[in-house]
Amino acid sequence: MKSENNLLEEIVSLSKRKGFVFQSSEIYGGLNGFFDYGPLGVELRKNIKDAWWEDMVRRRDDVIGLDSSIIMNPKIWKASGHIDGFTDPMVDCKESKMRYRADQLFAAEVLVDGESLGWVSLLESENMQSVAQEQAENKKRKESKQGELQDLILKPYDELTDNEQLLVPSPATGKVGSLTPPREFNMMFETHVGALRDGSSKCYLRPETAQGIFANFKNIVDTGRVKVPFGIAQIGKAFRNEITPRNFIFRSREFEQMEIEYFIPPGESEWQRHHQEWINVRKSWFSSIGLTKDCLGEEVHPQNKLAHYARACTDITYKFPFGEHELEGIAARGNFDLTQHQEHSGKSLEYFDENLKEKYLPHVIEPSLGVDRTFLAVLCSAFSVDEIDGEKRTVLRFHPRVAPIKAGIFPLVKNKPELVEVAKKLYERLQRKWNVVYDQSGAIGRRYRRIDESGVPFGITVDFESLEGDGSFTVRDRDSTEQVRMSEEELLLHMDERINP
RNA sequence: GCGGGCAUAGUUUAGUGGUAAAACCCCAGCCUUCCAAGCUGGUGUCCUCGGUUCGAUCCCGAGUGCCCGCACCA
């Protein structure tokens, strides 16, 4: 475990040293849960987003794009359930320092012949009714009461009155009076639109991009020449006031999502088929951009843990240095969202299906992932330390498609103007196609190591043979460190094949 | 939110109640014909604010951030 944490620390410090990720507002002492992406980070992010957009939108006939605003009419969040449901009332036990979600903590009053013996409390579970019954009987026995125990009515803690809450014992200690009242955490950031800061101007920073898609469903259907099944894709920032941001950029308060809402006809077999298809598509996409296959996994949400409207949800997970966690959630959401927006907006969102000759609210499969989590997984997969001739080498083995810098171009030595001139010319040509760097400082080996740490897949050196002979260059492979001679045309083809597979 | 630990150069880390060090990295120059060679020079609000003190990077308090554990993650 310790060495695994060190691995994350090494990645964090490399990220800073090479300009991938900085802590936000660092010169002011930082701000918990926010990050800035430096010169290399912004390129890597862009490449990840571009790869997703290319593969999920441009190369598919059934998915189109959208870019909706971050701040939207707050009624959207009422309809989606985020204003009411995106809160977790929490209860703390002051004595045991345990914390519970108020809606998962249940309590019931123990009544014997109408007389109250106090309350019992327990955490939500499948057999909580019988556990509570047992507790109540113990209580009755302890107080040696005769008479009939009345049926227990279990209620979640947040639905009790203030006075009732005071009587509930802590499930940890069994003592009354150590639980705090439920405290609300709404994870949505609030802001105000317009000059006046009264209630009517209150708006939210979106906690997910998905609702912007649902809100535009009618626009897309009316203008996009689409037929179910089809998807709407969006990449954009989202904001959640997380209680505890942790693990570097894995859980932050400002993050970027890549989401698709894939609309399908109603019907049990339809969603089952599409859900499985998307799981397969998404999982193979992750390995196509260079995530270590052995680190990828799936986690199927158990039926009793699903949101009430969801049919199924499968996470694609990644084994990070700090544990296996969700990269992407692929949810079958039924037609919950469109139903809600139709109801709250008063506008019909029904779709007329020409094949089935019927009107319906389409159901939806939602593959939703975080750019930043993918970024971190790409970084973790790429990071490695190996040894060359007894020397340690840190190398980021990015897939060429996502590598922030595609090639380094070097004159073998810098005090020979002929070499410098040819190298600069080649640099300018490659620059028009890709993000490449020119470097002439230090010995050639140092320059190779320098680009290894930035994850540059190709090192191209202009030497004397390039001037005199056939004009070929030395092309050095980052992973194997092997060198091959290539002409300029061969080089362009070689790079293009690997960068755009 | 709770408990514990930590905060010194870009990075990793020494160190001290009396003007702060090393290694590596980075930048410039010289040199260099293929995997971190060498030489010269350069780069510092000791996290912030307050207190104690003649004097605080060091001691004390508060804050902020990071790490670990618990809890949480519609």
Side-chain angles (χ1 to χ4, degrees), chain A residues 60-74:
Chain A
R60 292 182 66 116
D61 296 330
D62 58 345
V63 179
I64 49 176
L66 175 75
D67 191 350
S68 66
S69 64
I70 287 174
I71 296 175
M72 297 183 272
N73 190 312

Side-chain angles (χ1 to χ4, degrees), chain A residues 75-146:
Chain A
K75 287 176 188 164
I76 283 183
W77 306 111
K78 187 72 189 167
S80 70
H82 285 83
I83 287 179
D84 301 322
F86 208 64
T87 66
D88 295 314
M90 306 297 304
V91 179
D92 289 312
C93 169
K94 285 179 281 193
E95 198 154 320
S96 66
K97 305 296 180 200
M98 297 292 280
R99 166 176 288 181
Y100 309 99
R101 265 175 56 181
D103 58 339
Q104 291 178 357
L105 175 61
F106 281 76
E109 190 169 19
V110 182
L111 293 165
V112 175
D113 292 337
E115 186 193 348
S116 176
L117 300 186
W119 289 65
V120 291
S121 67
L122 71 173
L123 295 181
E124 183 172 24
S125 67
E126 279 178 30
N127 58 345
M128 63 180 174
Q129 192 69 43
S130 60
V131 175
Q133 193 69 34
E134 216 169 284
Q135 284 186 20
E137 277 161 18
N138 284 341
K139 206 171 178 67
K140 181 184 157 197
R141 201 173 309 127
K142 262 191 195 156
E143 306 201 7
S144 21
K145 289 279 174 194
Q146 302 298 315

Side-chain angles (χ1 to χ4, degrees), chain A residues 324-377:
Chain A
E324 184 168 355
H325 294 284
E326 173 191 355
L327 276 182
E328 171 158 4
I330 299 163
R333 294 172 67 94
N335 60 5
F336 172 79
D337 300 275
L338 288 181
T339 304
Q340 288 293 107
H341 287 299
Q342 174 165 280
E343 200 171 289
H344 283 74
S345 68
K347 305 281 192 306
S348 168
L349 300 179
E350 281 190 314
Y351 169 86
F352 181 72
D353 190 316
E354 283 166 37
N355 294 331
L356 301 173
K357 303 278 181 232
E358 62 172 292
K359 265 184 159 182
Y360 57 77
L361 278 176
H363 287 221
V364 80
I365 305 292
E366 178 189 86
S368 162
L369 75 153
V371 175
D372 312 80
R373 289 182 177 188
T374 308
F375 182 105
L376 185 56

Side-chain angles (χ1 to χ4, degrees), chain A residues 375-435:
Chain A
F375 182 105
L376 185 56
V378 166
L379 211 50
C380 290
S381 287
F383 182 85
S384 69
V385 179
D386 61 13
E387 228 178 274
I388 296 177
D389 301 331
E391 294 263 16
K392 267 198 171 177
R393 174 178 83 136
T394 302
V395 52
L396 293 175
R397 300 177 189 276
F398 291 128
H399 188 289
R401 192 178 183 194
V402 296
I405 301 168
K406 307 301 186 195
I409 296 104
F410 316 123
L412 184 58
V413 291
K414 73 174 164 187
N415 61 355
K416 295 285 188 292
E418 322 85 87
L419 291 179
V420 171
E421 191 192 339
V422 173
K424 282 193 170 160
K425 231 181 193 161
L426 177 64
Y427 168 62
E428 278 160 24
R429 171 148 192 213
L430 292 177
Q431 203 174 29
R432 302 177 75 92
K433 257 177 109 73
W434 297 296
N435 188 39

